[in-house]
Amino acid sequence: MYVHRKWLAGTDLEFIIAENGAAIKEDSIDSVKLDRQRIEYLQGYIGAVGRAIENGVNLTKYFIWSLLDNFEWGSGFSKRFGIVRVEYGKNPKRIPKASLKWYAALIKGFTH
């Protein structure tokens, strides 16, 4: 909000949040059932996005990082970013996390 108020108020400059997510250590597949830490992070961040829009920020697009767990240069495979868990190995599996279900329910309520 500071940047918006200080330099951009009254402009129609479009803001896009291209990557937003949380790197979380998941010790087991069972941890994705609740995925509470990621959901709380997203709730807080998306809530702040909503308040920014209400206060005049022209924020038009928001993207979660990331859909799938992946290799990250800073963390390797030790932390996971995705809202879909990837089990690596010979028989990789993709397991929807609770955060995917939460986000799907959230965006269902939005219309453009």
Side-chain angles (χ1 to χ4, degrees), residues 37-63:
Q37 194 175 358
R38 187 175 324 316
I39 291 170
E40 288 173 359
Y41 173 85
L42 291 170
Q43 285 173 328
Y45 202 94
I46 292 170
V49 165
R51 289 187 297 280
I53 292 168
E54 288 170 359
N55 284 295
V57 176
N58 186 22
L59 199 151
T60 60
K61 295 173 181 69
Y62 171 86
F63 299 91

Side-chain angles (χ1 to χ4, degrees), residues 6-99:
K6 179 85 173 159
W7 293 292
L8 303 171
T11 71
D12 61 353
L13 184 64
E14 177 182 22
F15 282 87
I16 297 170
I17 297 176
E19 292 184 2
N20 177 246
I24 297 171
K25 183 161 179 51
E26 296 173 5
D27 295 323
S28 69
I29 293 175
D30 290 336
S31 65
V32 306
K33 289 179 181 172
L34 295 177
D35 203 17
R36 180 70 47 215
Q37 194 175 358
R38 187 175 324 316
I39 291 170
E40 288 173 359
Y41 173 85
L42 291 170
Q43 285 173 328
Y45 202 94
I46 292 170
V49 165
R51 289 187 297 280
I53 292 168
E54 288 170 359
N55 284 295
V57 176
N58 186 22
L59 199 151
T60 60
K61 295 173 181 69
Y62 171 86
F63 299 91
I64 286 182
W65 183 257
S66 148
L67 174 64
L68 301 171
D69 290 334
N70 56 28
F71 178 84
E72 289 292 328
W73 292 109
S75 303
F77 290 115
S78 66
K79 294 186 178 179
R80 295 176 179 265
F81 289 80
I83 56 177
V84 175
R85 182 179 173 99
V86 176
E87 285 296 303
Y88 308 109
K90 281 189 168 189
N91 299 312
K93 296 177 187 170
R94 285 156 181 79
I95 303 161
K97 298 178 186 179
S99 54

